[in-house]
C-alpha cells in the first residue's frame, strides 16, 4: 500500500505541482527584504526622561529618527481611523476596501482610490515600488507575509517611523519635533490628527503650504473620531480651533558636543542604533549652558573665548550635565564646535590632591607634615610658587589648600614620579601616553595633558570610595571608573580589604580642599549653614592658557575649564579668577548636600604627632598631641626637626662641655629647621625661636653645618641673560645662616667676592662654564657648591 502511494507521488502530474507549491511557499516566506528598512537614520540623544536633547540629520539628508516600536495611542487611533479602519482585524490586505477601490476606479475611469492598508503602505515604503497593478499585487502578497510574523503594534511602529511627513521629514517622531517642538506623546488630538493626515499626500499638504487643504483633512478626521466615539464633541470642536503647523522648527541643540561625541564613538565602535538615552538632565543642562553663556560674555572682553563644564553623579559616575563648550556656530572665530570636555589640556595644579592622598596612603606624610618651601632647582628644573614667594616650610594640608608649587614638587620628588604615574593610570587617567621620564617632576604642575572628563571622573571615584567604605568598611576596584553618559550597571562588590587610596587619606584630602577661600566671599560663606560645603581645587596651566576648577560633595562633582581652544594664553586667565566663579554658580543650582563626608574611623589609627612639624612625635618633641591619621601613618618618619640643645643657665647662649661645667648646662628640647628653611620660615612665623648663638669661647660640637646655600644648588645649570645694553647680567646668590649676625665670606673659584651679614645675598659675575662657589663663616664652617653657567648662544 505504502509503495503505491509513493509511486503515485513520483508521477509528473503530482510531483511538478507539489514542487511549484513548495517553491511558492518558500518564495512567499522569504519575500520580505532583510532588513525591511535600511535607510540611514539620524543620530539622536535624549535626556534621562526621554526628552530630546539634540539630533543630527541622516547621511541621506533626511530627518529620519531610528525605529520606535512605541506608538502613541492618539496616533494609533487617528491613523487607523483615517487610513485603515479594519487594520486590527484584516490579515494585511483588506478585501472589502480593495473591492471598493476597484469599483470606484472603474466608475471614475481613473485611479482615484488605492485600497491600500497600512501594512501595504509599510511594504511600499520599504521597497519603493512604483504604483502599478503588478506591484500592487506584489505588495498585497508581501503584506500578507508581513502580517504573519509582525504584530499589529510592530507594523504601526514601522509605519510611524518611516512614513513621509513632508519635505525631508520622515517618521512621526522627527515630524512631531519639526512641526510642534515636542515628543509625539505630548501632542493634542488636533495636533495628532494633523500628523495622521500628512503621510497620505505629504507633497500636497506640506506644512506652511496649502494650509486650507491640510486644515480640511484634519477637521474631517476629527469628525470621524467623534463619530466613532473616540473623542467627545467638545474635544473635537476645541481641536478644530488649534492652529495648523507652520514651517519646520529647528530641533533642540542642548548638548551638541555630546551628540558629536556619540556620533564619533558610534562610527569607531560600529554600534547598532543611532539613538541613545543619556544620563543628562535637560533642565539642568539648559541652566548650566545659560551660566556658561553669561560668564562667556564677560570673559570674551579679555579675549577668552571658550568655556566647558561637567556635572557628575558621584554614586554612578553618570554625567548630569555635559557642556563641551559654548555654542556659537555662527561665529567660526570662537571655535565653539570643539568639545573641550574630551580634549587633552594641561591640568595645572588639579593633580595635587591625588598626590597628597597617595602620600598619606603610603605613609610618606601625615596630614600636616611640614614640607620645604624654599628656592629649588632639581636637574635644571626650577619650580616657583604663583606669588614667587617662599614660606620656608608649610604643612602639607596648607600647601594643598594654597596650591603651592614648590612643596608639591618636593613632595613628588620624595614620592617618586614613577609611582605617582602608576597611581594616575589606576584612577582612570588614560591621556598619559608617554613614559614617566617624559614628564618627570613637572607632572605635578601641569606637565602632562588631561581631559576635564577624566579629571572629574577621578575625583568622583575618590568620593565614591569614601562613601562606599563608610557603608561597608571594604573597598572595591570597580569604584574607580571613567564617567559615563549612558546608564550602565557597574559591579561594585566591596570585596577588598585595601584600596588604591584608603578612605582616611581621601577624607583628609577633601578636608584640606574644603579650606580654600571661595572667590569673592573671603570665608564669609562659612557663616551660613545653608551654603553648600564643597571640597574644591583650581588649576592654572603654564602661560595662562587653561583655568580649571573642580569641586566635590558626597553627591556631586562639578568640573569647569576656561581658556581658548587655540591654546592662546591671556593675562589673568587663572583657575581661581575665571573657572571657580562658574563652579560655584553651578553648585548653587544643585540640591544642597546636608551631610558631609563621614569620618572613616575604621580606616584610621591614633598616633602621637608633633604639633610644630606635623611628623610623628620623637623623643624631643615636647608639644605632641594624639591624632587620628590614615593607617599608612604608622610608617611615616619621626620628626627630624626636634633635637636636644645645651644652654647656659641664662638660656641665652649655647654652650659645650669645653666651656661650661656639666652641672651648669641646661638641656632643652628645641624645634630647629635647616638654615635655608629657617631663613624664610622665621619671617612668616613669629613664634619660631631660632637657636641662641654659641657663647664666646665655646666651639661648635654639632656636626650640623649652620650655613646653607639657597641658590644655586650643587650641580645646578644657570642661564644668565644679556642686559639691554648688551652686557652679560649677574646672578644673585642666596645663603642662610642659623646664627643671627653671623658673617659669611664669599669666594668664586679662587677669587674673593666680599662678605655679608644678616641678609646673605651676593651678586656674582660668572662667565660661561663651570664654577665653584665657596662660603666660609666666622667659625670656619665651609660650604662649597659647583654650578655651570650656560652659554648664551647654546643655552645648554
Amino acid at each position: 500500500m505504502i509503495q503505491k502511494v509513493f509511486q503515485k507521488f513520483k508521477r509528473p502530474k503530482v510531483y511538478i505541482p507539489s514542487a511549484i507549491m513548495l517553491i511558492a511557499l518558500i518564495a512567499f516566506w522569504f519575500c520580505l527584504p532583510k532588513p525591511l528598512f535600511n535607510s540611514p537614520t539620524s543620530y539622536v540623544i535624549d535626556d534621562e526622561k526621554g526628552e530630546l536633547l539634540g539630533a543630527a540629520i541622516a547621511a541621506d539628508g533626511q530627518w529620519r529618527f531610528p525605529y520606535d516600536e512605541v506608538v502613541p495611542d492618539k496616533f494609533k487611533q487617528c491613523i487607523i481611523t483615517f487610513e485603515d479602519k479594519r487594520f486590527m482585524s484584516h490579515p494585511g490586505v483588506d478585501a472589502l476596501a480593495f473591492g471598493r477601490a476597484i469599483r470606484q476606479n472603474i466608475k471614475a475611469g481613473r485611479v482615484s482610490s488605492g485600497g491600500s492598508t497600512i501594512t501595504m503602505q509599510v511594504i511600499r515604503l520599504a521597497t519603493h515600488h512604483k504604483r502599478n497593478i503588478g506591484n500592487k499585487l506584489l505588495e498585497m502578497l508581501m503584506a500578507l507575509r508581513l502580517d504573519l510574523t509582525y504584530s499589529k503594534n510592530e507594523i504601526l511602529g514601522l509605519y510611524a517611523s518611516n512614513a513621509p511627513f513632508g519635505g525631508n521629514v520622515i517618521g512621526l517622531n522627527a515630524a512631531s519635533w519639526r512641526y510642534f517642538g515636542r515628543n509625539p506623546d505630548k501632542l493634542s488630538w488636533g495636533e495628532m490628527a494633523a500628523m495622521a493626515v500628512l503621510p497620505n499626500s505629504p507633497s500636497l499638504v506640506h506644512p506652511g503650504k496649502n494650509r486650507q487643504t491640510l486644515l480640511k483633512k484634519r477637521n474631517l478626521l476629527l469628525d470621524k473620531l467623534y463619530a466613532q466615539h473616540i473623542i467627545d464633541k467638545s474635544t473635537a470642536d476645541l481641536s478644530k480651533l488649534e492652529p495648523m503647523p507652520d514651517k519646520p522648527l529647528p530641533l533642540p541643540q542642548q548638548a551638541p558636543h555630546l551628540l558629536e561625541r556619540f556620533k564619533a564613538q558610534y562610527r569607531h565602535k560600529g554600534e547598532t542604533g543611532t539613538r541613545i538615552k543619556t544620563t543628562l538632565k535637560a533642565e539642568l543642562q539648559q541652566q548650566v549652558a545659560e551660566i556658561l553663556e553669561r560668564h562667556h560674555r564677560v570673559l570674551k572682553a579679555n579675549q577668552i573665548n571658550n568655556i566647558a563644564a561637567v556635572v557628575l553623579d558621584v554614586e554612578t559616575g553618570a554625567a548630569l550635565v555635559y557642556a563641551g563648550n559654548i555654542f556659537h556656530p555662527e561665529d567660526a572665530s570662537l571655535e565653539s564646535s570643539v568639545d573641550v570636555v574630551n580634549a587633552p589640556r594641561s591640568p595645572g595644579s588639579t593633580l595635587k590632591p591625588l598626590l597628597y592622598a597617595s602620600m598619606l596612603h603610603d605613609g610618606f606624610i601625615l596630614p600636616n607634615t611640614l614640607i620645604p618651601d624654599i628656592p629649588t632647582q632639581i636637574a635644571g628644573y626650577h619650580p616657583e610658587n604663583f606669588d614667587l614667594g617662599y614660606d620656608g616650610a608649610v604643612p602639607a594640608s596648607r600647601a594643598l589648600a594654597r596650591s603651592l608649587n614648590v612643596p608639591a614638587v618636593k613632595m613628588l620628588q620624595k614620592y617618586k614620579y614613577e609611582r605617582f604615574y602608576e597611581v594616575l593610570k589606576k584612577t582612570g587617567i588614560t591621556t598619559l601616553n608617554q613614559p614617566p621620564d617624559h614628564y618627570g617632576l613637572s607632572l605635578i604642575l601641569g606637565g602632562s595633558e588631561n581631559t576635564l572628563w577624566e579629571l572629574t571622573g577621578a575625583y568622583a571615584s575618590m568620593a565614591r570610595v569614601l562613601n562606599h567604605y563608610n557603608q561597608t568598611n571594604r573597598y572595591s576596584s570597580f569604584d574607580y571608573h571613567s564617567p559615563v553618559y549612558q546608564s550602565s550597571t557597574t559591579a561594585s562588590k566591596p570585596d577588598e580589604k585595601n584600596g588604591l587610596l584608603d578612605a582616611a587619606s581621601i577624607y583628609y584630602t577633601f578636608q584640606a580642599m574644603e579650606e580654600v577661600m571661595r572667590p569673592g566671599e573671603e570665608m564669609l560663606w562659612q557663616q551660613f549653614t545653608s551654603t553648600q560645603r564643597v571640597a574644591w581645587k583650581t588649576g592654572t596651566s603654564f602661560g595662562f592658557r587653561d583655568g580649571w576648577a573642580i569641586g566635590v560633595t558626597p553627591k556631586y562633582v562639578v568640573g569647569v575649564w576656561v581658556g581658548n581652544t587655540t591654546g592662546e594664553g591671556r593675562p589673568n586667565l587663572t583657575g581661581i579668577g575665571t573657572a571657580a566663579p562658574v563652579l560655584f554658580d553651578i553648585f548653587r543650582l544643585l540640591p544642597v548636600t546636608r551631610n558631609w563626608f563621614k569620618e572613616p574611623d575604621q580606616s584610621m589609627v591614633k598616633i602621637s604627632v608633633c604639633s610644630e612639624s606635623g611628623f610623628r612625635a620623637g623623643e624631643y618633641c615636647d608639644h605632641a598631641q594624639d591624632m587620628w591619621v590614615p593607617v599608612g601613618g604608622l610608617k611615616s618618619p619621626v620628626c627630624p626637626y626636634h633635637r636636644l640643645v645645651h644652654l647656659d643657665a641664662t638660656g641665652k647662649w649655647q654652650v659645650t662641655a669645653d666651656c661650661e661645667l656639666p652641672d651648669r648646662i641646661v638641656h632643652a628640647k628645641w624645634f630647629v629647621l635647616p638654615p635655608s628653611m629657617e631663613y624664610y620660615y622665621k619671617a612668616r612665623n613669629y613664634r619660631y625661636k631660632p637657636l641662641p648663638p654659641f657663647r664666646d669661647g665655646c666651639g661648635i660640637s654639632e656636626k650640623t653645618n649652620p650655613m646653607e646655600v639657597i641658590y644655586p644648588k650643587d650641580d645646578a645649570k644657570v642661564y644668565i641673560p644679556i642686559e639691554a645694553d648688551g652686557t652679560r647680567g649677574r646672578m644673585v646668590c642666596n645663603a642662610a645662616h642659623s646664627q643671627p649676625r653671623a658673617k659669611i665670606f664669599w669666594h668664586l673659584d679662587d677669587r674673593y667676592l666680599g662678605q655679608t651679614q644678616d641678609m646673605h645675598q651676593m651678586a656674582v659675575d660668572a662667565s660661561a662654564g663651570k664654577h665653584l662657589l665657596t662660603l666660609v663663616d666666622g667659625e670656619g664652617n665651609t660650604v662649597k657648591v659647583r654650578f655651570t653657567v650656560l652659554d648664551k648662544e647654546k643655552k645648554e
Side-chain angles (χ1 to χ4, degrees):
M1 180 68 181
I2 296 175
Q3 186 176 4
K4 290 181 179 180
V5 173
F6 181 73
Q7 289 176 347
K8 181 179 179 181
F9 273 97
K10 290 182 66 176
R11 297 173 186 173
K13 290 184 178 180
V14 177
Y15 175 76
I16 293 175
S18 299
I20 291 174
M21 289 181 62
L22 179 62
I23 293 172
L25 285 173
I26 293 174
F28 172 73
W29 190 255
F30 293 100
C31 66
L32 295 179
K34 288 189 176 180
L36 196 59
F37 292 92
N38 61 359
S39 299
T41 56
S42 300
Y43 292 93
V44 183
I45 57 173
D46 300 317
D47 81 339
E48 59 169 359
K49 296 179 180 178
E51 288 294 320
L52 183 67
L53 289 173
I57 200 165
D60 60 355
Q62 304 293 312
W63 286 108
R64 184 189 296 107
F65 286 12
Y67 167 70
D68 187 359
E69 182 180 342
V70 180
V71 179
D73 186 66
K74 287 179 184 176
F75 184 77
K76 180 179 177 180
Q77 299 280 8
C78 287
I79 199 66
I80 290 175
T81 301
F82 185 73
E83 290 281 1
D84 190 357
K85 63 182 178 181
R86 284 179 288 273
F87 171 76
M88 299 302 296
S89 59
H90 65 61
V93 176
D94 188 346
L96 293 176
F98 190 66
R100 185 189 69 249
I102 292 176
R103 288 195 305 271
Q104 290 176 350
N105 292 337
I106 292 174
K107 185 176 180 180
R110 58 183 178 85
V111 178
S112 61
S113 177
S116 294
T117 64
I118 292 175
T119 313
M120 292 171 63
Q121 291 183 52
V122 169
I123 295 298
R124 186 182 305 125
L125 292 171
T127 59
H128 306 289
H129 285 160
K130 294 182 179 180
R131 295 192 177 187
N132 55 50
I133 295 177
N135 286 337
K136 175 71 74 172
L137 294 175
L138 181 59
E139 285 174 8
M140 295 172 67
L141 185 68
M142 296 174 71
L144 291 170
R145 169 65 185 84
L146 184 67
D147 202 79
L148 281 176
T149 51
Y150 283 74
S151 70
K152 294 294 184 179
N153 284 334
E154 287 175 329
I155 294 172
L156 279 175
L158 289 170
Y159 178 83
S161 298
N162 294 280
F165 282 81
N168 65 341
V169 181
I170 306 294
L172 173 65
N173 212 318
S176 179
W177 278 100
R178 290 289 279 163
Y179 299 141
F180 296 106
R182 54 186 180 277
N183 275 332
D185 59 355
K186 292 183 171 59
L187 297 184
S188 67
W189 278 105
E191 292 167 339
M192 193 63 84
M195 289 288 96
V197 302
L198 267 175
N200 182 255
S201 51
S203 60
L204 177 64
V205 287
H206 186 289
K209 302 177 182 178
N210 304 307
R211 297 173 63 86
Q212 288 303 118
T213 306
L214 181 58
L215 178 65
K216 183 178 179 181
K217 288 198 171 201
R218 183 200 68 175
N219 291 346
L220 181 62
L221 173 56
L222 289 170
D223 290 337
K224 288 183 178 180
L225 292 171
Y226 167 61
Q228 296 181 18
H229 305 293
I230 296 173
I231 60 176
D232 57 33
K233 190 175 189 309
S234 62
T235 301
D237 291 341
L238 290 173
S239 297
K240 290 179 181 179
L241 297 176
E242 294 183 21
M244 298 300 296
D246 206 338
K247 295 181 179 179
L249 305 171
L251 294 181
Q253 291 290 343
Q254 290 196 50
H257 302 93
L258 181 59
L259 176 63
E260 291 302 314
R261 180 173 181 173
F262 166 55
K263 288 172 59 178
Q265 292 184 342
Y266 175 91
R267 298 190 190 102
H268 177 69
K269 296 180 179 179
E271 295 180 3
T272 58
T274 59
R275 184 170 195 165
I276 59 168
K277 185 177 182 181
T278 70
T279 58
L280 271 59
K281 294 180 178 292
E283 183 179 0
L284 184 60
Q285 175 80 14
Q286 182 62 34
Q287 290 173 327
V288 170
E290 291 171 359
I291 288 175
L292 299 191
E293 184 62 33
R294 186 170 71 248
H295 283 270
H296 163 69
R297 289 194 292 269
V298 176
L299 294 168
K300 190 179 178 183
N302 189 26
Q303 298 180 34
I304 301 173
N305 294 328
N306 306 105
I307 184 170
V310 170
V311 179
L312 301 181
D313 176 80
V314 166
E315 179 62 27
T316 62
L320 307 180
V321 171
Y322 190 111
N325 206 332
I326 54 164
F327 190 58
H328 288 276
E330 75 285 354
D331 188 350
S333 65
L334 297 179
E335 296 193 357
S336 63
S337 62
V338 178
D339 180 7
V340 188
V341 167
N342 204 36
R345 306 287 300 193
S346 171
S349 299
T350 55
L351 298 180
K352 289 176 181 176
L354 289 163
L355 175 61
Y356 180 78
S358 299
M359 295 189 73
L360 287 174
H361 173 81
D362 289 325
F364 283 83
I365 60 171
L366 297 178
N368 299 312
T369 295
L370 280 182
I371 306 298
D373 182 22
I374 57 176
T376 300
Q377 190 167 40
I378 306 168
Y381 181 53
H382 181 51
E384 292 182 324
N385 294 323
F386 187 80
D387 62 2
L388 301 180
Y390 302 96
D391 280 24
V394 62
S397 60
R398 293 298 300 156
L400 176 59
R402 293 173 54 195
S403 196
L404 297 175
N405 291 337
V406 174
V409 172
K410 289 287 190 180
M411 290 167 68
L412 184 58
Q413 184 184 25
K414 187 174 184 179
Y415 189 70
K416 303 301 181 187
Y417 59 78
E418 296 89 348
R419 182 186 290 113
F420 185 53
Y421 177 93
E422 293 302 321
V423 170
L424 293 178
K425 289 276 192 179
K426 291 175 181 177
T427 58
I429 304 297
T430 64
T431 50
L432 300 175
N433 49 23
Q434 299 292 337
D437 289 341
H438 174 82
Y439 306 106
L441 295 175
S442 69
L443 180 63
I444 198 59
L445 300 183
S448 63
E449 287 190 330
N450 303 103
T451 66
L452 184 61
W453 185 248
E454 290 185 350
L455 279 177
T456 52
Y459 280 87
S461 294
M462 292 169 67
R464 194 179 306 120
V465 169
L466 183 52
N467 287 342
H468 287 176
Y469 182 85
N470 282 328
Q471 297 167 6
T472 64
N473 292 335
R474 304 284 289 181
Y475 297 97
S476 171
S477 58
F478 292 104
D479 283 339
Y480 292 95
H481 62 79
S482 295
V484 295
Y485 58 83
Q486 286 182 268
S487 296
S488 62
T489 53
T490 304
S492 58
K493 183 179 178 181
D495 54 1
E496 301 173 12
K497 187 176 181 180
N498 300 306
L500 174 65
L501 297 174
D502 68 274
S505 298
I506 296 173
Y507 175 79
Y508 274 112
T509 300
F510 288 162
Q511 289 295 95
M513 291 168 62
E514 194 188 3
E515 295 300 318
V516 183
M517 186 174 65
R518 296 187 182 186
E521 298 186 5
E522 300 180 354
M523 302 298 283
L524 294 177
W525 62 273
Q526 293 180 338
Q527 300 176 16
F528 301 94
T529 56
S530 63
T531 302
Q532 183 89 289
R533 293 182 66 181
V534 181
W536 59 293
K537 183 73 187 73
T538 60
T540 305
S541 67
F542 178 77
F544 301 100
R545 294 181 175 90
D546 308 89
W548 301 76
I550 301 177
V552 185
T553 71
K555 290 186 177 296
Y556 304 105
V557 175
V558 177
V560 177
W561 174 93
V562 175
N564 289 309
T565 57
T566 60
E568 178 188 359
R570 296 299 304 163
N572 301 318
L573 201 172
T574 63
I576 192 70
T578 62
V582 182
L583 179 85
F584 287 104
D585 277 353
I586 294 175
F587 266 117
R588 292 185 186 100
L589 297 175
L590 301 176
V592 174
T593 304
R594 298 294 180 184
N595 298 321
W596 188 242
F597 293 103
K598 180 183 176 183
E599 189 173 288
D601 300 337
Q602 299 300 315
S603 181
M604 294 182 174
V605 294
K606 183 183 287 187
I607 63 173
S608 182
V609 177
C610 177
S611 60
E612 287 97 346
S613 69
F615 282 85
R616 289 179 64 195
E619 60 176 319
Y620 299 130
C621 292
D622 55 356
H623 295 100
Q625 57 185 1
D626 289 339
M627 180 179 180
W628 289 97
V629 300
V631 174
L634 294 172
K635 301 180 292 184
S636 64
V638 174
C639 176
Y641 301 133
H642 275 87
R643 70 187 194 196
L644 194 65
V645 298
H646 313 296
L647 308 174
D648 67 357
T650 67
K652 296 180 178 179
W653 304 97
Q654 289 190 68
V655 294
T656 66
D658 295 333
C659 65
E660 185 64 273
L661 295 175
D663 59 348
R664 299 190 62 181
I665 295 178
V666 177
H667 306 288
K669 299 174 182 177
W670 211 281
F671 175 52
V672 184
L673 292 174
S676 59
M677 293 170 61
E678 181 185 74
Y679 176 76
Y680 295 96
Y681 187 82
K682 65 184 180 182
R684 295 177 180 264
N685 296 270
Y686 70 93
R687 293 183 178 180
Y688 180 79
K689 294 170 56 179
L691 274 174
F694 279 91
R695 194 172 65 190
D696 291 343
C698 293
I700 300 176
S701 60
E702 288 84 351
K703 296 181 179 179
T704 303
N705 197 324
M707 181 171 49
E708 185 177 355
V709 175
I710 298 175
Y711 180 84
K713 292 297 185 182
D714 203 29
D715 293 327
K717 294 182 178 180
V718 179
Y719 173 70
I720 303 176
I722 302 300
E723 300 291 349
D725 60 2
T727 60
R728 178 183 288 276
R730 296 193 297 174
M731 62 181 290
V732 178
C733 300
N734 292 273
H737 202 291
S738 62
Q739 300 298 323
R741 306 295 297 170
K743 293 181 179 180
I744 295 180
F745 302 93
W746 298 69
H747 304 78
L748 180 65
D749 301 324
D750 295 326
R751 179 166 54 95
Y752 174 69
L753 300 177
Q755 71 176 39
T756 57
Q757 189 173 4
D758 295 329
M759 290 292 293
H760 300 292
Q761 290 185 347
M762 181 66 67
V764 176
D765 289 314
S767 59
K770 296 182 178 181
H771 297 278
L772 175 64
L773 182 66
T774 304
L775 278 63
V776 182
D777 69 2
E779 301 295 332
N781 296 295
T782 303
V783 176
K784 293 185 178 182
V785 171
R786 289 176 172 79
F787 66 95
T788 302
V789 175
L790 301 177
D791 186 273
K792 67 178 185 299
E793 299 295 334
K794 298 180 180 179
K795 298 185 184 180
E796 59 182 27

